[in-house]
Amino acid sequence: MFEAHTEVRATRAEALHLHQVSAKTVGEADRALPAGVDDAQVATAQAAWQYPASQRHTDTVLVPPGTAVGGTVTVWVDDAGRKAPAPRPYGELASTAVAAGAPAFGVLVPSAGGVVRLRLRRVEARSLAGWDREWDLVGPRWSGRLRREPEAGSRR
């Protein structure tokens, strides 16, 4: 759980330095490539934007196939205006946390089970030893077979 909170805090801190800006394409969109999600396709094109307001930047960005020169696209940039990856969605953070925690859980559960099993064995051994001691006292009277006590002068 701790790791998930750390990841969320880090992502939030990172997101404070990421900004979405509108960019205008200044070049033709290249051929469409599979994006790998729902059979969608993406293309790349040169685009220009201004961020901060006084600085112009140009870089290759992902655009929908067929985007014309002068088309508007959204670009994520850092504080200096350089192209940056979009912030990670919280679903990705959750799956990362689960993937990180699964091995620990896989070790913790069998270990805890082993400790409980050993503890129960000790409790059972003590219980059975106590039962044996009590039976040694009560058993001969209850069963009608009296235990022979050693005679005072004899040695065993």
Side-chain angles (χ1 to χ4, degrees):
M1 193 65 153
F2 172 74
E3 186 169 326
H5 291 300
T6 303
E7 284 283 325
V8 168
R9 274 196 303 270
T11 299
R12 284 184 180 156
E14 181 182 293
L16 291 174
H17 300 284
L18 296 175
H19 316 279
Q20 278 188 310
V21 297
S22 291
K24 295 269 188 207
T25 56
V26 294
E28 293 280 329
D30 291 342
R31 64 183 172 84
L33 303 169
V37 180
D38 298 331
D39 293 329
Q41 293 193 335
V42 294
T44 57
Q46 283 290 336
W49 62 90
Q50 286 194 231
Y51 190 90
S54 62
Q55 292 184 343
R56 179 176 158 87
H57 299 273
T58 327
D59 204 341
T60 303
V61 297
L62 295 174
V63 297
T67 301
V69 175
T72 303
V73 292
T74 302
V75 178
W76 284 93
V77 298
D78 62 14
D79 288 335
R82 293 181 299 256
K83 185 176 79 166
R88 291 185 294 169
Y90 288 116
E92 182 181 320
L93 295 175
S95 62
T96 301
V98 167
F105 187 74
V107 169
L108 180 66
V109 169
S111 299
V115 168
V116 168
R117 183 174 179 183
L118 288 174
R119 182 68 182 137
L120 288 175
R121 283 181 137 186
R122 290 184 68 196
V123 167
E124 183 180 24
R126 282 188 192 151
S127 176
L128 290 175
W131 176 261
D132 285 343
R133 282 191 302 275
E134 290 176 15
W135 183 251
D136 283 343
L137 296 173
V138 176
R141 290 187 203 124
W142 183 80
S143 66
R145 292 181 292 218
L146 293 175
R147 193 172 43 183
R148 276 183 53 182
E149 297 292 328
E151 294 177 17
S154 68
R155 290 183 130 182
R156 282 189 117 192

